[in-house]
Amino acid sequence: MSDSIRVAIAEDSAILRDGLVQLLADRGFEITGAFSDAAGLIESIATDCPDVAVIDIRMPPTFTDEGLRSAIELRRSNPQLGILLFSQYVETRYAAELLADGAAGIGYLLKDRVADVSDFVETLVRVASGGTALDPEVVTQLLGASRRRDSLSGLSARERQVLALMAEGRTNAAIAATLVVSEGAVEKHVANIFSKLGLPASPTDHRRVLAVLRYLEV
Amino acid sequence: MTQPETKDAGIRFHLRFRSTERTVTVSEERLDQARHVARRVLSEPFQRRTWSELAFLLISGSLSVVGIAFLLATMASGAVLAVTFIGLVIIAASVRGTRGIGGWHRALARHFLDEWIPDPDPFRARPGFFGWLQTALRDRAGWRAMAYTVVKIPLLAFSVWFGLSIWIEVFLSLGSPVWGTGGSEPDGFGVIRNVFRPGYTGLGDDRPLHRLFVFAGGVVLFFVAPWAVRLVVYLDRRLMRLLLGPDAMTARVRTLEQSRAQTVDASAATLRRIERDLHDGTQAQLVALAMRLGQAKEELAEGEEADLDQVRRLVEDAHRGAKEAIVELRDLARGIHPPVLDTGLEGALATLAARSTVPSELTVSLLSRPTPAIEAIAYFCVAELLANVAQHAQASRAAIGCNQHGPWLRIVVRDDGRGGAVLTRVGSSSSGLAGLTDRVKAVDGHLGIASPPGGPTVVTVDLPCQA
């Protein structure tokens, strides 16, 4: 299923960049380009038309958040392009900025996640096809930092698990597989969560992510 | 009279006084000096500075009168009410207000005299009314401004008597053709009338000769007045610098605060560098390593169909990556604190000298071990300087000296390279020498560079042994 997905990479660490290229090529992705800074990536997008870009947040020249800046820029100019931000730290602020314009085709992952190759590939495919992926670590921080902790405590333990997986951007089917329950059970949990938190039921997965994040006041 | 012998080339003046005739030779140099002085004296009344000083005298004098009135009123009422709490509040307000007036005096000095007296530390009241009260009552700068206000009064009286009065004299005398000399009684106020007691009034009022005499006196005084004012203003400058600027202790505290801020900045920069090294180096290595192992694991999970060649390649890559990560981590740890330093500076410097790419000769003579902080600074100085030698100097040899002189540790790093090293470098290497200087200054040490173009470069670092 990942046969024809075209990926562009911007990552300043040569060792990681090469590793990613190799890994993704092995998995049947088509690499349109691998760049050591954001400028090269942005230039290439128009000609190479990748489906998804994997972007490191900290890159030259300032080593702060140019990856994020260029992701936001690319988002405006190429709304169809999926973007997977890739970082060694999670900053909820970054997630908030990135998701400000909508969550479709956005992913934000810790670099560590690449070690679980299949999960990583799956996430990349999801983002490329317009889905959303947030690192579990990001979601944990968001849930922990939320000012709505009181109302979150009204959820059952299972519901909270489902909420976290929802915020990561997973589909009901994926949540069901992760928790080893039926999809119907997940749907019931989701409905419960939405009614307990007073959220409007949203059809698509990435809208659901946004609804949850808005609720958490990211 | 005999003619004075002189070898100087100059101008001879033939003077005939009564029946004696003499020739005076004035050397060219003396003549130049005289011309210079004359030009200076004649031009002085027309200089901007002269009038600025006069304006300062008038305005700061008026301000001083206001200041002393404020001071007397508040302190008197404060003293009367001292038995009650209100008295304390009034005194505090007096101190605080006088500090403000001191600020105005500084501003006047800045504006009219171009005299930049640094501001004392700002008034930082502790929170709450009682905090304010306590801070105001203990405000050194405020009390010193009070001392200025008090001492300024006799100085002001002297300034009027000695400086301003001459200008008034000039004004009256030069105007005498218009309004007559009636005002110039000998027993008036001012240095001219009190000290010189001009005898010309004996000629009687308004005789033409008298008028001429008074007018001529005014012209002379016109060129004298600027210097009298300058003298009294000079005294005021001294007084202001003494009492309105920061005092010695505050200045020392300021220096310490600065060096502390530099130290804090330097350590923050060091932490940032370490974070960066970890982030770009070790962490990236480990992520790549985990990625390869993850790939290998998933490949192996396919059982019989696993591509063993690929797995072998992945594991080899991972193995190499792990070894590289270890080396990087070790170098990084050594950069934070070299373990060899624990055994003493001599051994640590020997390691540095041995590791240097430019052949280096080391001489160490230490009577006792400096404190660990100093040892670390000394070590990193030498490390950085040797790295500079290797990178920039194009040197064939370097020499490192580390000697104790009493309480001081002197480190000298010398190379035979092309020289031209400067303290402030722009760009990426600015953290080098400039960073070292900050580190050295933080312990009251000193770093000096002698590096003429063409070399050799000698960098001398003096550090206190105990810090």
Side-chain angles (χ1 to χ4, degrees):
Chain A
M1 72 181 206
S2 60
D3 284 343
S4 58
I5 294 186
R6 295 159 58 79
V7 187
I9 298 170
E11 159 69 66
D12 64 311
S13 160
I15 185 168
L16 271 182
R17 189 170 62 237
D18 296 348
L20 270 177
V21 168
Q22 198 184 23
L23 180 149
L24 293 176
D26 279 357
R27 292 286 170 146
F29 289 84
E30 186 184 339
I31 310 296
T32 62
F35 307 93
S36 62
D37 60 8
L41 173 77
I42 290 176
E43 250 174 60
S44 79
I45 296 290
T47 47
D48 294 349
C49 301
D51 300 311
V52 61
V54 178
I55 306 174
D56 184 12
I57 289 188
R58 254 169 57 157
M59 278 189 295
T62 65
F63 294 98
T64 51
D65 59 357
E66 31 287 287
L68 179 70
R69 300 273 142 256
S70 43
I72 292 171
E73 192 184 323
L74 283 174
R75 188 96 192 121
R76 303 244 157 88
S77 54
N78 305 57
Q80 293 308 309
L81 176 72
I83 289 174
L84 179 63
L85 274 185
F86 207 42
S87 169
Q88 280 178 359
Y89 307 95
V90 294
E91 294 284 351
T92 50
R93 187 177 63 82
Y94 290 166
E97 276 191 60
L98 194 66
L99 296 172
D101 293 342
I106 290 284
Y108 179 25
L109 278 194
L110 270 182
K111 285 188 182 172
D112 313 10
R113 306 299 169 206
V114 78
D116 295 317
V117 182
S118 296
D119 278 359
F120 174 69
V121 167
E122 196 183 292
T123 306
L124 191 59
V125 171
R126 190 158 87 223
V127 171
S129 52
T132 304
L134 282 187
D135 196 276
E137 186 69 23
V138 176
V139 173
T140 311
Q141 278 191 14
L142 289 177
L143 289 174
S146 172
R147 275 163 280 175
R148 303 277 187 94
R149 233 179 293 182
D150 289 348
S151 46
L152 289 182
S153 63
L155 302 179
S156 74
R158 188 30 75 98
E159 282 164 353
R160 251 178 286 170
Q161 271 180 319
V162 174
L163 177 70
L165 291 168
M166 245 160 56
E168 285 176 27
R170 292 180 194 252
T171 59
N172 283 355
I175 294 173
T178 310
L179 298 179
V180 204
V181 292
S182 74
E183 231 180 297
V186 172
E187 272 165 31
K188 203 177 293 170
H189 286 309
V190 171
N192 276 344
I193 293 167
F194 272 70
S195 74
K196 277 189 187 176
L197 301 184
L199 291 171
S202 308
T204 56
D205 295 322
H206 65 258
R207 278 188 197 285
R208 204 164 69 169
V209 175
L210 268 195
V212 172
L213 295 180
R214 293 252 161 80
Y215 177 77
L216 296 174
E217 292 185 0
V218 179
Chain B
M1 285 201 89
T2 53
Q3 217 167 290
E5 289 288 323
T6 170
K7 285 167 192 166
D8 288 337
I11 295 174
R12 284 163 190 248
F13 292 93
H14 294 279
L15 303 172
R16 189 173 298 161
F17 184 65
R18 299 208 174 141
S19 58
T20 334
E21 191 176 324
R22 73 158 111 177
T23 310
V24 179
T25 310
V26 180
S27 73
E28 199 66 54
E29 198 183 321
R30 276 286 170 82
L31 208 61
D32 263 357
Q33 281 173 357
R35 275 196 212 109
H36 177 75
V37 169
R39 213 176 295 136
R40 185 78 200 275
V41 169
L42 288 177
S43 68
E44 206 57 28
F46 308 102
Q47 300 292 323
R48 197 180 152 266
R49 180 182 173 185
T50 298
W51 298 98
S52 292
E53 285 179 343
L54 185 60
F56 173 79
L57 184 63
L58 292 171
I59 299 174
S60 97
S62 316
L63 180 59
S64 301
V65 173
V66 174
I68 194 74
F70 171 77
L71 183 68
L72 289 177
T74 47
M75 285 312 256
S77 53
V80 170
L81 294 170
V83 278
T84 68
F85 178 68
I86 303 294
L88 272 187
V89 178
I90 295 178
I91 291 174
S94 178
V95 177
R96 182 73 190 82
T98 312
R99 178 196 245 266
I101 295 175
W104 293 346
H105 277 294
R106 276 196 305 277
L108 288 177
R110 225 164 10 235
H111 186 260
F112 288 104
L113 304 182
D114 225 4
E115 174 87 43
W116 290 79
I117 298 163
D119 289 347
D121 276 347
F123 184 80
R124 272 183 292 236
R126 268 177 269 162
F129 174 71
F130 287 95
W132 177 87
L133 189 68
Q134 210 180 17
T135 315
L137 286 174
R138 286 185 181 173
D139 182 24
R140 289 174 64 89
W143 287 103
R144 290 168 77 244
M146 278 198 167
Y148 174 79
T149 309
V150 172
V151 180
K152 178 70 187 274
I153 292 307
L155 177 64
L156 178 64
F158 177 70
S159 303
V160 171
W161 181 77
F162 189 80
L164 191 62
S165 73
I166 302 188
W167 276 116
I168 295 172
E169 210 68 51
V170 168
F171 178 73
L172 291 177
S173 309
L174 292 186
S176 63
V178 181
W179 51 65
T181 57
S184 28
E185 301 109 37
D187 44 352
F189 179 76
V191 58
I192 302 297
R193 293 172 190 225
N194 298 156
V195 176
F196 297 104
R197 295 188 169 277
Y200 52 73
T201 47
L203 293 169
D205 270 354
D206 281 351
R207 281 200 218 153
L209 189 60
H210 177 206
R211 284 187 172 209
L212 190 66
F213 198 75
V214 168
F215 186 80
V219 171
V220 171
L221 288 182
F222 181 63
F223 295 100
V224 172
W227 304 99
V229 171
R230 185 148 308 159
L231 173 75
V232 295
V233 166
Y234 168 76
L235 294 178
D236 203 355
R237 284 177 199 257
R238 293 296 301 262
L239 195 62
M240 282 190 289
R241 260 180 262 159
L242 189 68
L243 292 175
L244 293 184
D247 55 330
M249 199 176 80
T250 318
R252 173 69 181 151
V253 168
R254 245 184 224 189
T255 324
L256 288 177
E257 278 174 351
Q258 268 170 9
S259 72
R260 184 185 63 180
Q262 275 169 351
T263 314
V264 172
D265 286 352
S267 58
T270 308
L271 284 179
R272 203 157 45 235
R273 185 178 54 76
I274 293 169
E275 188 272 342
R276 186 96 141 255
D277 288 349
L278 280 172
H279 177 273
D280 297 347
T282 318
Q283 224 173 345
Q285 290 268 16
L286 289 178
V287 170
L289 178 62
M291 182 164 71
R292 297 216 168 91
L293 290 176
Q295 273 176 285
K297 188 178 108 188
E298 295 202 357
E299 193 63 46
L300 287 175
E302 292 183 15
E304 293 296 309
E305 292 171 22
D307 179 351
L308 286 181
D309 277 347
Q310 199 200 353
V311 172
R312 196 170 296 122
R313 185 174 53 77
L314 285 167
V315 170
E316 269 170 19
D317 280 355
H319 183 232
R320 192 173 52 245
K323 286 196 290 190
E324 282 169 13
I326 292 169
V327 173
E328 259 182 38
L329 205 51
R330 185 174 54 217
D331 287 349
L332 187 62
R334 189 161 51 202
I336 297 169
H337 177 82
V340 62
L341 207 48
D342 293 338
T343 62
L345 193 52
E346 185 162 2
L349 293 185
T351 313
L352 275 183
R355 219 192 294 147
S356 165
T357 48
V358 178
S360 304
E361 190 184 303
L362 175 73
T363 42
V364 179
S365 96
L366 290 174
L367 306 171
S368 58
R369 271 193 79 168
T371 50
I374 295 299
E375 284 190 333
I377 294 174
Y379 175 87
F380 285 111
C381 279
V382 174
E384 180 73 34
L385 291 171
L386 284 180
N388 275 350
V389 170
Q391 274 175 26
H392 308 292
Q394 297 171 355
S396 62
R397 301 200 63 79
I400 308 150
C402 177
N403 298 292
Q404 194 173 346
H405 300 273
W408 290 91
L409 181 68
R410 168 164 281 196
I411 296 158
V412 181
V413 176
R414 185 188 306 267
D415 71 64
D416 61 356
R418 63 184 168 136
V422 278
L423 202 58
T424 44
R425 285 214 186 116
V426 252
S428 57
S429 54
S430 66
S431 56
L433 281 175
L436 277 192
T437 313
D438 284 351
R439 259 180 137 157
V440 169
K441 268 193 195 153
V443 291
D444 282 343
H446 174 80
L447 186 147
I449 299 175
S451 181
T457 299
V458 181
V459 180
T460 310
V461 181
D462 288 319
L463 296 168
C465 288
Q466 311 291 322

